[in-house]
Amino acid sequence: VDRQARCVVDHFYCPRAGHDSSNVESRETVMETFWMIIGDIPLELIVVVVLWYSIGVASICTTKVLADRGIPPLVLTFQQLFMGSTLLHLYLKSTGNLQPFPKPKKRVVAVHRDHPDDTGDDDTNNRSEDPLYLNFGFMGLFDGLDFFFTSVGFTMANASFVETVKSSQPITTTAVALLLGIDTFK
């Protein structure tokens, strides 16, 4: 395989392959390929990703500034959780997508004298509590701890270091999910 064939993938410009940087055709091909890829992505998705990224950068910078001014990590955590939940509530309410909080299934507590294991109902879903509240509780706990320890990190190190460490989180999350059987390879 020649050097040019190894460097050029899908018509992208590669200076190591000896492409001339003034070659207009190469640059046009790159731009055509770029717009062909971008053209398949819905505009709404692009806007949401740009907003998410921009808000994340602003959040990191303001958190670091406040942490450097001596605001305790717990205060930063409550502020972030309060503002996030308030803005989400307002957004969902304004779009008409605000849902009522789900109610747990009632647990059947009646026990027959003849059959202590029998609750009088064959519906096994009623025998145990609905795990929805437990899942919400764990999710809230771990998200809150994530915010808290990130704020602690900002008080102890540069934002770039804290965010670099946090960027490895998907690897750890995937490994734990696989070990606990929450997720599987398909």
Side-chain angles (χ1 to χ4, degrees), residues 86-97:
T86 301
L87 291 174
L88 179 62
H89 178 83
L90 292 173
Y91 170 76
L92 292 174
K93 193 172 185 175
S94 72
T95 60
N97 291 324

Side-chain angles (χ1 to χ4, degrees), residues 108-121:
V108 178
V109 293
V111 177
H112 293 281
R113 288 184 188 178
D114 298 333
H115 303 286
D117 293 337
D118 188 10
T119 60
D121 190 355

Side-chain angles (χ1 to χ4, degrees), residues 21-39:
S21 63
S22 64
N23 187 345
V24 176
E25 184 178 321
S26 293
R27 283 186 270 158
E28 286 177 359
T29 304
V30 169
M31 291 307 296
E32 286 173 10
T33 306
F34 172 78
W35 287 114
M36 185 173 65
I37 293 168
I38 295 297

